[in-house]
Amino acid sequence: MRQNEAREALALARKVESRARSGGGWYMGFGLAFGAASCLLTLTIGLYPTPWAMGLAMGLFWVFLAVLITWAVTRAVVPRGFGRLHGVGMGVWGLAYGLVLLLGTRHFPQDPSWWVPGAVVTALPLLVTGYLSLRRSRNSA
C-alpha cells in the first residue's frame, strides 16, 4: 500500500466512524418519545380511570409504540451495547410502571400528588438509557 492510499483509507475510516457515531444517537430520541408516551399514559390511567379514557389512551399508546418501534428498526446504526442497555431500560420501566399503577390504583385513586410524580418516574428509565446511549455514541471506542 502506498502512502497516499494509506491516507485515503484512514480518511475513509474516520468518515465511516464519524457517521456511525452520529447515527448512534437516535436512541435518545426513542427514549424521549417513549418517556413522553409513558408519562401521558400513566397520567390518563391515574387521573381519568373511566373505561373510555383508559381504552383510548391504551389504543393510542399501542399505535404510537408500533410507529416508534418501526422507526427504531429502520435505523442504520445500533448504539454500542444496545441490546443490554435497552433490555435493562425496559425492565426498569416495567417495574416502575407496574408499581406506580399498582400502588396508585389501590391507595391513591385520582390523586395528582401521586400520579404526576409517578408519571415522571415512568418516563425516567428510557430517558436515562437514551442519555447513556448518546454518551456512548459520542465517546471514542
Side-chain angles (χ1 to χ4, degrees), residues 61-87:
F61 180 77
W62 285 109
V63 168
F64 180 76
L65 193 58
V67 170
L68 190 60
I69 290 169
T70 301
W71 174 76
V73 299
T74 62
R75 301 302 89 196
V77 177
V78 177
R80 188 173 2 139
F82 174 75
R84 183 171 186 203
L85 187 65
H86 182 66

Side-chain angles (χ1 to χ4, degrees), residues 19 49 57 59 67-68 80 116 127-128:
R19 267 184 93 192
V67 170
L68 190 60
R80 188 173 2 139
V116 172
L127 290 175
V128 170

Side-chain angles (χ1 to χ4, degrees), residues 12-141:
L12 179 60
R14 284 189 201 106
K15 184 178 176 183
V16 169
E17 179 187 20
S18 174
R19 267 184 93 192
R21 289 198 182 286
S22 65
W26 65 265
Y27 191 59
M28 184 67 213
F30 181 94
L32 284 167
F34 188 91
S38 175
C39 191
L40 289 172
L41 177 64
T42 304
L43 285 173
T44 302
I45 289 171
L47 298 177
Y48 305 101
T50 61
W52 71 266
M54 292 192 323
L56 179 63
M58 287 299 297
L60 291 173
F61 180 77
W62 285 109
V63 168
F64 180 76
L65 193 58
V67 170
L68 190 60
I69 290 169
T70 301
W71 174 76
V73 299
T74 62
R75 301 302 89 196
V77 177
V78 177
R80 188 173 2 139
F82 174 75
R84 183 171 186 203
L85 187 65
H86 182 66
V88 168
M90 289 305 290
V92 172
W93 172 81
L95 288 172
Y97 181 73
L99 283 173
V100 166
L101 290 185
L102 179 69
L103 295 174
T105 54
R106 287 187 180 184
H107 303 291
F108 307 101
Q110 295 180 300
D111 183 355
S113 65
W114 171 264
W115 290 102
V116 172
V120 171
V121 166
T122 68
L124 289 177
L126 286 182
L127 290 175
V128 170
T129 56
Y131 173 74
L132 292 173
S133 175
L134 184 63
R135 277 189 44 192
R136 285 181 183 177
S137 73
R138 300 295 187 242
N139 293 335
S140 58

